[in-house]
Amino acid sequence: MTARQSLFVGGSWVEPDDGHYAVIDPASEETVGWAPEASREQVHAACAAAREAFGPWSATPPEGRAAVLGRAAGIIAGHLEEYADLARAETGATTGTARAMQVGVAAARFRRYARVEPAEWAIPPQIHEAGPMGKAGVLGALAIRQPVGVVTCVTSYNNPWANAVGKVAPALAMGNTVVVKPAPQDPLSVYRMAQALEEAGVPPGVVNVVSGRSTGVGEAAVASPDVDMVSFTGSTTVGQRIAEVCGRGMKRQLMELGGKGAALVFDDADLGSAVAGIGTTFSFYSGQICTAPTRVLAQRGIHDRLVEQLAACARRLKVGDPREPDTVVVPVISAAHRDRVESYVELGRKEGAVVVAGGERPDLPTGFYVAPTLLADCTNDMRVAREEIFGPVVVVIPFDDEEEGLALANDTDYGLIDYVWSGDVARAFRVARRLRAGGVGVNTVGRNMEAPFGGFKKSGVGRDVGSYALHAYSEVQAIVWPG
């Protein structure tokens, strides 16, 4: 019988009050395991446990906290194959992606935040000409990063390992305690993360994991008076609701929300590089990633060739079982999400877009598959060009000159990651600086994992990754004294 997972609350594995639900493999449609459905009372207990553990954990020397994270990294690396098999089954990712980009990245992130960094820095002395006592003098100052407190981490379904650890590791490194509410589609991997941390010696209550399909689980984890901060990755719509709750309680927020990344491809671009980069929308998590270059702006001189090459790319990618070594395009997370993505393709047709590639459900016996789909002859006012589809669907919009391309790129509610392809590096960087996006890839879709990550506009609030995450999960305190 498939195992039934317990909640992790206050250092104990606890049976859920509201039973279990099936976690489904998006490729085979079989049951991977049974996830626990927490009650509101159990969520509140997790938040209270994190509050009680905060004092001792925050007082633990940074080197002690780092040692726990380092041991967790080693434990995860030692279970790479086992954890990757589970991640593949839960998410539908290819075996290679599950190993390298999910479990492998999680271990790397724990190792990264096991490196102790200075939590304080001196501020240059300042001459104070008229103090409260009317005396002139010099004041010294020190800025110190202090932990925020209890952090609720609400994670996304597209990468349960990397996304969860990307929140938990820097939060713990800074002395916070956490309550993790994983996405309901694939929470089992997050419980394996908690097991690794428990084995690594994390004290009771420092890490808690509660899951459930009910919206009440997430609502309780966000609204609890024991929670000081919410870190959320997911849709803009849900992020707005969370932000409203945080605003009422003056809770700190870190929001990584939706995206509709513009990829500007100029006439002088290396089309092979552009096609390979844009093609990751079809291949990487089947487009279920907020940083995907899903909205292509093609200068007219190369528009037709780019469409032709993107269509060829979409048609040659193998769609199939993630366990097969030559599979490139995997299923989307659920039948409901497949229906949603397909409805957008049909909407594109009705709006006047031309389906150049894809557009039909792959002929496979099981699995929630969507064929890599390319929509051409699009305009920027179409819903398929303005709304996040979160699937292997790319839209192409033509433009004439640099100014028009910039105007189209910035004409969006989103601003997470944009891309520029041009053989003129000076122009590429000039355009990048005018894009209203938190990040810009110039002739690449790669990411530097020490660079700040976050969005403009409705794509989010705050920055994390690398040292920026240590700032995100801390408050800055100033201490001033007579020089």
Side-chain angles (χ1 to χ4, degrees):
M1 184 176 178
T2 307
R4 293 180 180 268
Q5 177 66 52
S6 299
L7 304 167
F8 190 55
V9 177
S12 298
W13 295 95
V14 180
E15 285 302 299
D17 288 342
D18 294 341
H20 292 80
Y21 66 91
V23 176
I24 303 300
D25 183 328
S28 69
E29 301 184 44
E30 297 175 350
T31 298
V32 177
W34 294 87
E37 184 80 37
S39 65
R40 284 180 177 266
E41 290 73 21
Q42 287 178 311
V43 177
H44 290 150
C47 297
R51 170 58 60 199
E52 183 176 353
F54 171 66
W57 179 249
S58 62
T60 300
E63 293 79 6
R65 301 194 297 260
V68 172
L69 302 185
R71 289 193 294 270
I75 291 165
I76 291 169
H79 290 81
L80 176 64
E81 296 299 325
E82 171 195 345
Y83 289 166
D85 284 346
L86 175 60
R88 178 203 51 74
E90 279 195 292
T91 67
T94 64
T95 299
T97 296
R99 289 173 180 168
M101 302 304 297
Q102 297 195 11
V103 182
V105 168
R109 287 182 169 175
F110 271 127
R111 283 195 298 269
R112 189 262 176 265
Y113 292 107
R115 300 203 310 264
V116 178
E117 295 190 8
E120 58 184 50
W121 59 97
I123 296 171
Q126 184 183 67
I127 297 174
H128 193 66
E129 296 183 354
M133 306 303 292
K135 295 175 63 177
V138 177
L139 293 179
L142 191 67
I144 301 176
R145 284 200 298 252
Q146 298 277 19
V148 178
V150 176
V151 183
T152 287
C153 302
V154 184
T155 66
S156 61
Y157 68 71
N158 56 350
N159 194 330
W161 273 100
N163 188 249
V165 175
K167 298 177 185 299
V168 170
L172 296 184
M174 277 308 308
N176 302 284
T177 55
V178 298
V179 176
V180 187
K181 193 280 176 186
Q185 296 93 336
D186 50 12
L188 301 178
S189 290
V190 179
Y191 285 105
R192 299 300 173 273
M193 177 202 71
Q195 289 175 348
L197 283 164
E198 180 186 35
E199 186 178 340
V202 73
V206 170
V207 176
N208 306 269
V209 183
V210 290
S211 59
R213 291 176 298 180
S214 167
T215 57
V217 176
E219 289 170 353
V222 168
S224 168
D226 285 315
V227 170
D228 303 291
M229 174 180 171
V230 176
S231 176
F232 171 70
T233 298
S235 73
T236 296
T237 300
V238 175
Q240 288 170 322
R241 293 202 296 268
I242 291 174
E244 290 173 0
V245 175
C246 289
R248 289 195 294 271
M250 296 303 293
K251 299 176 191 283
R252 184 81 167 271
Q253 303 170 45
L254 179 59
M255 298 281 181
E256 197 255 285
L257 307 178
K260 191 70 175 178
L264 286 91
V265 185
F266 287 93
D267 285 346
D268 60 355
D270 178 338
L271 286 192
S273 172
V275 169
I278 295 163
T280 60
T281 299
F282 304 135
S283 60
F284 193 53
Y285 294 121
S286 203
Q288 297 169 109
I289 184 165
C290 52
T291 59
T294 59
R295 186 168 57 109
V296 177
L297 306 177
Q299 197 165 14
R300 290 191 187 275
I302 49 86
H303 175 274
D304 292 350
R305 282 185 292 144
L306 181 62
V307 169
E308 179 183 342
Q309 291 183 32
L310 283 172
C313 172
R315 295 189 190 105
R316 70 172 173 262
L317 300 176
K318 180 188 173 182
V319 182
D321 188 337
R323 293 169 296 186
E324 296 295 330
D326 58 343
T327 292
V328 178
V329 181
V330 297
V332 295
I333 194 68
S334 66
H337 190 56
R338 176 187 60 191
D339 293 345
R340 179 181 181 274
V341 174
E342 289 178 338
S343 73
Y344 267 105
V345 176
E346 183 58 31
L347 174 62
R349 285 192 175 101
K350 291 177 180 177
E351 290 182 310
V354 175
V355 180
V356 182
E360 296 179 355
R361 185 176 296 184
D363 185 17
L364 294 167
T366 62
F368 311 128
Y369 291 94
V370 177
T373 300
L374 182 67
L375 302 179
D377 292 351
C378 296
T379 59
N380 213 43
D381 59 350
M382 292 179 177
R383 284 181 59 193
V384 290
R386 303 199 69 81
E387 298 177 13
E388 186 177 37
I389 299 173
F390 219 59
V393 180
V394 171
V395 303
V396 184
I397 302 166
F399 72 92
D400 288 311
D401 55 28
E402 182 177 314
E403 288 302 316
E404 183 187 12
L406 274 163
L408 289 169
N410 288 328
D411 181 18
T412 175
D413 289 336
Y414 297 108
L416 188 57
I417 304 291
D418 285 345
Y419 303 90
V420 182
W421 271 275
S422 174
D424 183 342
V425 175
R427 173 168 67 176
F429 275 84
R430 179 176 69 243
V431 169
R433 293 182 67 123
R434 294 180 63 190
L435 289 169
R436 298 290 297 163
V440 181
V442 173
N443 295 326
T444 183
V445 293
R447 281 179 56 194
N448 181 320
M449 297 310 295
E450 287 296 314
F453 181 74
F456 288 12
K457 297 184 280 189
K458 291 184 179 180
S459 283
V461 177
R463 296 291 182 273
D464 68 353
V465 179
S467 296
Y468 297 90
L470 299 176
H471 286 278
Y473 293 98
S474 61
E475 298 281 12
V476 178
Q477 178 188 60
I479 299 178
V480 180
W481 65 89

